[in-house]
Amino acid sequence: MNDTEYRALIERDIAHLIHSQYSLRDQQNAIIFEKGEGAILTDVRGREYIDGLSSLWNVAVGHGRKELAEAAAAQMGSLAFANGYTGYSNLPSIQLAEKLVSLSYSNMDAVFFANSGSEANEVAFKLARFHWHLKGKMEKVKIITRRQAYHGGTLATTAATGLPPFWRGFGPLDPTFIREPTNHPFTPCTAECALAIEEQIIREGPDTVAAIIAEPVQGAGGVIPPGPDYFPTLRQVCDRQGVLLIADEVITGFGRTGRWFALRHWDVQPDIVTFAKAVTSAYVPLSGAIVSREIHQAILDAPLPDGRFMHGMTNSGHPGACAVALRNLQIFDDENLVESAASLGQRLQDGLRGLLSEDGVGDVRGLGLMAGVEIMADVEKRKPFPIELGVGPRVVAACKERGLISRNLADNYLLAPPLVTTPEQIDRIVDIVREAVREVVPWARRQKPEM
Ligand SMILES: Cc1ncc(COP(=O)(O)O)c(C=O)c1O
């Protein structure tokens, strides 16, 4: 496609499409993707890019997987859809629920399927409240949420999200979502952070708190892994105070951190796990919430008519989506992708840590194939560049020019390439980020010579 044809396509896009997190300025030079193969995306003008964020942290098995298209076609050819509300079921959803229970945590027992990560978290909030409702604790409704958290774009998950730009224009936020006491945004949480949450639960009144929701490694908020004692302490806090622990594994689920599910790094079991994205590697939308035996049992034992779980979604347990997920997870097994994520992740983390000697690289964080590189004006004093310089977006742009697509959160450059990225592509990613830093940091210093 030549430039004139590309510009015409952009005009048509702008005429009738509103994109996620939309701004007209960003859309005017949008990349329009046409195809993908492995970790490489190609746009309509024939330009190739390494997909450094697995698109939106989700295309785990890489692009162009014909076997997933075939699994969808086969299922649609026999049963594309049928009512999955109570009283009905279908084979792929039964098989996938079994598989997810066995892959997640040993205390997990049952799955409710939804379509997106936001919906999965909505379901988790409703399940948590419903659990306490069944136990006669009607006041236990509040959800504790964390700073820098991203949990989705629906009204409840917007309230659960701890990144203020996502609230702008959408208030008032649901006041039953309670924010944890804040600390420095990008430092790893420690046992002290978990104990501060305990004090907060006590202040709120434990009889009013249903759950806390936490990403095992915070993703969109800047790739922030916790300290080793954070989740074990948080689990103890939840047990002491009678509060459910919801692990939002929408990004970390399915190998991203080098384990099937990420709280396994710290030997912690949540009460509810939410998943989405890599369950189908995004070939079709699918998500859900997995609940513990205790939560499941309470639902099974609930007396009718009042104890019926009245949450419903048309596409819950969609046979086509579940069939694609089963085939996708088969690829994980056949190609040992969780082990690959651990070893490729180590290569990525080691490579990026090599950038710490570059001017302006203040921090490199991550776990497995999730990484964040933080740029700072003064590394010793942990002082950022003025936000209006837009250092983070400039690093994104400099990487894009060199054929690497990813994104930033303030001056953090975030990476989460597909689990099938080659070692050579991982090295290329590191090289590109280095080149981008070497271009942008000196530019930023020239804008403010006193820094
Ligand atoms: C941790 C986490 N939870 C929830 C969501 C929301 O998922 P979705 O955009 O599919 O609604 C996201 C999206 O990136 C996420 O990163």
Side-chain angles (χ1 to χ4, degrees):
M1 182 178 286
N2 64 32
D3 273 0
T4 314
E5 290 164 327
Y6 163 73
R7 292 276 20 131
L9 210 44
I10 288 284
E11 293 301 316
R12 287 169 59 197
D13 178 295
I14 288 172
H16 297 299
L17 252 174
I18 302 171
H19 295 260
S20 291
Q21 297 177 18
Y22 192 60
S23 98
L24 177 58
R25 190 198 59 195
D26 291 347
Q27 202 56 26
Q28 273 158 347
N29 294 305
I31 296 175
I32 303 178
F33 296 112
E34 189 164 35
K35 56 187 181 196
E37 190 68 41
I40 301 295
L41 283 165
T42 308
D43 75 4
V44 287
R45 291 186 281 186
R47 296 185 188 160
E48 291 192 348
Y49 303 90
I50 300 176
D51 187 1
L53 202 69
S54 303
S55 288
L56 284 168
W57 321 83
N58 49 4
V59 188
V61 300
H63 300 274
R65 291 286 195 157
K66 305 287 179 288
E67 51 281 52
L68 296 184
E70 284 157 12
Q75 185 57 44
M76 286 178 194
S78 60
L79 179 72
F81 183 77
N83 182 358
Y85 274 48
T86 195
Y88 302 96
S89 196
N90 67 69
L91 202 54
S93 65
I94 295 171
Q95 290 170 331
L96 183 60
E98 281 171 354
K99 177 94 184 160
L100 294 174
V101 164
S102 73
L103 284 179
S104 51
Y105 298 93
S106 63
N107 64 328
M108 290 293 134
D109 209 43
V111 184
F112 184 94
F113 287 112
N115 306 282
S116 66
S118 308
E119 285 180 3
N121 287 330
E122 292 273 348
V123 174
F125 302 146
K126 287 178 82 174
L127 280 162
R129 286 185 175 180
F130 190 68
H131 178 71
W132 296 118
H133 170 87
L134 287 178
K135 302 225 155 195
K137 300 195 172 179
M138 313 303 188
E139 314 264 282
K140 272 175 96 65
V141 295
K142 294 177 192 164
I143 310 284
I144 308 268
T145 74
R146 298 169 61 210
R147 56 99 178 103
Q148 297 299 114
Y150 185 75
H151 295 299
T154 58
L155 271 180
T157 54
T158 297
T161 288
L163 297 161
F166 289 93
W167 307 333
R168 209 181 303 128
F170 304 126
L173 300 179
D174 182 338
T176 59
F177 287 80
I178 311 292
R179 270 161 236 304
E180 70 167 336
T182 46
N183 55 8
H184 184 280
F186 300 113
T187 48
C189 289
T190 59
E192 286 71 49
C193 309
L195 294 173
I197 290 178
E198 180 162 39
E199 283 167 24
Q200 188 182 26
I201 294 172
I202 292 167
R203 274 197 307 277
E204 293 290 331
D207 285 344
T208 68
V209 181
I212 167 161
I213 182 162
E215 297 157 84
V217 177
Q218 292 190 305
V223 179
I224 316 164
D229 50 359
Y230 177 69
F231 276 105
T233 312
L234 191 62
R235 178 70 268 180
Q236 289 167 8
V237 166
C238 287
D239 291 341
R240 268 199 299 271
Q241 301 302 335
V243 167
L244 299 176
L245 176 59
I246 303 170
D248 177 345
E249 300 230 27
V250 165
I251 287 180
T252 54
F254 309 101
R256 172 59 57 197
T257 67
R259 303 281 172 97
W260 273 103
F261 283 84
L263 287 186
R264 290 206 197 155
H265 284 282
W266 307 286
D267 257 329
V268 168
Q269 294 187 333
D271 300 294
I272 302 177
V273 187
T274 56
F275 66 88
K277 299 192 187 271
V279 66
T280 56
S281 290
Y283 278 68
V284 291
L286 181 69
S287 72
I290 317 174
V291 297
S292 70
R293 209 155 290 126
E294 195 191 337
I295 295 176
H296 186 207
Q297 197 61 48
I299 294 174
L300 294 174
D301 293 344
L304 290 177
D306 290 351
R308 184 187 290 272
F309 179 59
M310 280 304 286
H311 176 72
M313 287 169 165
T314 298
N315 287 324
S316 181
H318 190 287
C322 292
V324 172
L326 284 164
R327 188 66 189 90
N328 175 57
L329 297 176
Q330 182 67 47
I331 294 175
F332 273 69
D333 285 339
D334 293 346
E335 301 180 14
N336 293 322
L337 291 186
V338 180
E339 292 76 7
S340 297
S343 60
L344 284 170
Q346 197 57 53
R347 193 179 183 111
L348 178 66
Q349 307 293 341
D350 289 347
L352 292 174
R353 267 195 291 277
L355 303 187
L356 282 166
S357 55
E358 298 290 328
D359 179 28
V361 176
D363 200 7
V364 171
R365 300 181 295 268
L367 189 63
L369 277 176
M370 278 177 90
V373 178
E374 188 172 357
I375 313 294
M376 296 174 188
D378 187 327
V379 172
E380 280 201 352
K381 295 189 184 136
R382 319 298 292 164
K383 192 173 156 212
F385 281 104
I387 196 74
E388 55 280 9
L389 282 187
V391 164
R394 279 175 191 274
V395 172
V396 171
C399 287
K400 206 186 283 176
E401 270 167 35
R402 291 166 172 81
L404 170 65
I405 295 189
S406 193
R407 75 176 197 214
N408 70 297
L409 186 277
D411 290 348
N412 298 272
Y413 187 69
L414 311 182
L415 287 160
L419 277 49
V420 295
T421 308
T422 64
E424 296 70 32
Q425 288 166 334
I426 294 283
D427 296 346
R428 181 71 193 128
I429 288 172
V430 174
D431 287 345
I432 290 177
V433 178
R434 179 185 297 107
E435 288 168 25
V437 165
R438 287 183 180 173
E439 177 187 307
V440 174
V441 171
W443 171 87
R445 295 207 186 289
R446 284 198 299 276
Q447 309 311 304
K448 293 268 171 186
E450 72 275 15
M451 282 200 283

